[in-house]
């Protein structure tokens, strides 16, 4: 698409140079005819703004050529036929104005049916429309495919070869500003939702940590629970007895047993001694 635009600017350059040497309205009108008929000339805003061409508005005989150039710049085939007293179009001009009009119409999907395009471009047969579209695609003016079954055209991209209409910049600025405001508002809403989601997630995490702490507090320390399980004779927990304590208790019991045995043996000896004396 950029190549087509560059070619269009390059094709107009010779006519811009010729405009500097124009000295009469008739020469300016002839320049308009030649520029709009030449191959690859699709952009005319610069030529339209030259002082020599603008001077045509002061010529009663050739002022219509200035109106014609304006239509090639940003108008359509329908505009041409709706404007009275314009110069007649030759074959090259007719083809080019139809191609430029196709670019304008293709921006609106509601215009892409065969019936609408044929009426807007002054074509009586579908085959004429298809040939026009095929030629425009071949020249790189747009990317499109024909759909004869649906009697419609599918357009994927359009070359920026149409000039802006006078007074359209403020309107476009308003549209862009409105779009920018909507984008800013939407971004603000998205950021607010993200912040709300983060705040909710942080609150849930805090609640979960608090719930976990409560469970740990109610369960207590497992080691302390073991110590306080069952009290012993001296008020100490039985589970708190270690191996050393158990050994000491065992040794104490063993000692008492030995003393008892010794007492029994002493008593037995005393009995035997008493029997002998008898």
């Amino acid at each position: 698409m950029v190549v087509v635009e560059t070619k269009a600017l390059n094709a107009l350059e010779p006519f811009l140079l010729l405009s500097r040497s124009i000295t009469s309205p008739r020469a300016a009108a002839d320049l308009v005819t030649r520029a709009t008929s030449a191959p690859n000339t699709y952009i005319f805003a610069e030529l339209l703004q030259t002082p020599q061409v603008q001077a045509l508005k002061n010529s009663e005989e050739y002022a219509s050529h200035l109106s014609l150039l304006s239509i090639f710049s940003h108008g359509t085939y329908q505009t041409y036929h709706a404007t009275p007293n314009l110069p007649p179009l030759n074959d090259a001009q007719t083809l080019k104005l139809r191609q430029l009009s196709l670019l304008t119409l293709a921006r609106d999907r509601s215009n892409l049916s065969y019936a609408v395009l044929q009426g807007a471009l002054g074509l009586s047969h579908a085959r004429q429309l298809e040939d026009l579209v095929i030629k425009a695609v071949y020249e790189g003016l747009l990317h499109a495919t024909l759909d004869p079954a649906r009697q419609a055209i599918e357009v994927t991209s359009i070359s920026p070869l149409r000039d802006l209409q006078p007074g359209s910049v403020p309107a476009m600025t308003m549209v862009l500003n409105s779009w920018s405001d909507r984008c800013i508002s939407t971004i603000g809403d998205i950021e607010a939702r993200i912040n709300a989601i983060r705040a909710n997630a942080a609150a849930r995490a805090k609640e979960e940590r608090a719930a976990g702490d409560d469970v740990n507090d109610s369960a207590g320390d497992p080691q302390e629970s073991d110590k306080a399980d069952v009290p012993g004779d001296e008020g100490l927990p039985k589970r708190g007895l270690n191996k050393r304590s158990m050994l000491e208790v065992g040794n104490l019991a063993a000692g008492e047993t030995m003393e008892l045995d010794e007492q029994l043996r002493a008593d037995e000896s005393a009995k035997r001694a008493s029997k002998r004396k008898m």
Side-chain angles (χ1 to χ4, degrees):
M1 295 295 184
V2 176
V3 175
V4 176
E5 189 174 4
T6 301
K7 288 174 62 177
L9 293 172
N10 292 337
L12 187 66
E13 187 64 27
F15 299 102
L16 294 173
L17 296 174
L18 287 172
S19 68
R20 299 174 184 176
S21 60
I22 288 176
T23 57
S24 67
R26 180 175 181 177
D30 181 64
L31 181 66
V32 168
T33 301
R34 292 169 60 190
T36 53
S37 303
N40 299 321
T41 53
Y42 297 106
I43 302 174
F44 302 99
E46 290 187 66
L47 182 62
L48 185 62
Q49 298 302 320
T50 58
Q52 294 81 0
V53 173
Q54 283 295 311
L56 287 171
K57 68 176 66 173
N58 301 320
S59 171
E60 183 178 352
E61 183 178 1
Y62 297 105
S64 59
H65 285 75
L66 179 61
S67 299
L68 179 65
L69 185 60
S70 297
I71 292 174
F72 270 85
S73 178
H74 50 72
T76 64
Y77 191 80
Q78 287 177 308
T79 308
Y80 171 81
H81 283 283
T83 305
N85 302 321
L86 291 179
L89 300 176
N90 58 38
D91 291 343
Q93 288 175 310
T94 300
L95 173 61
K96 182 171 297 184
L97 186 55
R98 280 172 170 160
Q99 288 178 323
L100 294 172
S101 300
L102 177 62
L103 299 183
T104 298
L105 293 167
R107 294 171 183 170
D108 188 346
R109 291 183 177 273
S110 63
N111 294 330
L112 297 181
S113 67
Y114 277 29
V116 172
L117 290 174
Q118 285 178 225
L121 300 176
L123 301 172
S124 56
H125 302 292
R127 183 59 185 175
Q128 292 175 312
L129 174 62
E130 292 173 347
D131 290 343
L132 180 70
V133 173
I134 291 171
K135 184 173 179 60
V137 171
Y138 177 77
E139 294 180 359
L141 304 182
L142 78 166
H143 291 163
T145 56
L146 298 171
D147 190 350
R150 293 177 51 245
Q151 290 288 285
I153 298 172
E154 295 290 337
V155 177
T156 55
S157 62
I158 304 170
S159 296
L161 296 177
R162 300 313 321 264
D163 299 318
L164 296 175
Q165 296 184 7
S168 61
V169 173
M172 291 179 61
T173 302
M174 291 180 61
V175 172
L176 291 175
N177 287 338
S178 177
W179 174 79
S180 176
D181 292 340
R182 290 196 300 270
C183 290
I184 293 173
S185 177
T186 301
I187 291 173
D189 292 341
I190 293 173
E191 290 179 347
R193 292 180 182 180
I194 292 174
N195 292 334
I197 291 171
R198 288 175 176 172
N200 291 335
R204 286 197 300 270
K206 185 176 181 180
E207 292 175 356
E208 290 174 357
R209 287 195 299 270
D213 293 340
D214 292 341
V215 171
N216 292 334
D217 291 342
S218 62
D221 190 345
Q223 294 181 354
E224 294 295 331
S225 177
D226 289 342
K227 291 179 181 179
D229 190 5
V230 180
D233 293 340
E234 298 179 359
L236 296 176
K238 291 184 177 180
R239 292 186 182 180
L241 296 175
N242 53 28
K243 292 182 178 181
R244 181 177 178 179
S245 300
M246 294 175 66
L247 289 173
E248 290 176 352
V249 172
N251 292 335
L252 178 61
E256 293 177 349
T257 303
M258 291 177 64
E259 292 178 357
L260 180 61
D261 291 341
E262 290 177 356
Q263 183 65 35
L264 290 175
R265 283 196 295 271
D267 292 343
E268 185 67 26
S269 298
K271 289 179 179 180
R272 285 197 296 268
S274 175
K275 288 179 178 182
R276 289 192 194 101
K277 290 178 180 182
M278 292 176 63

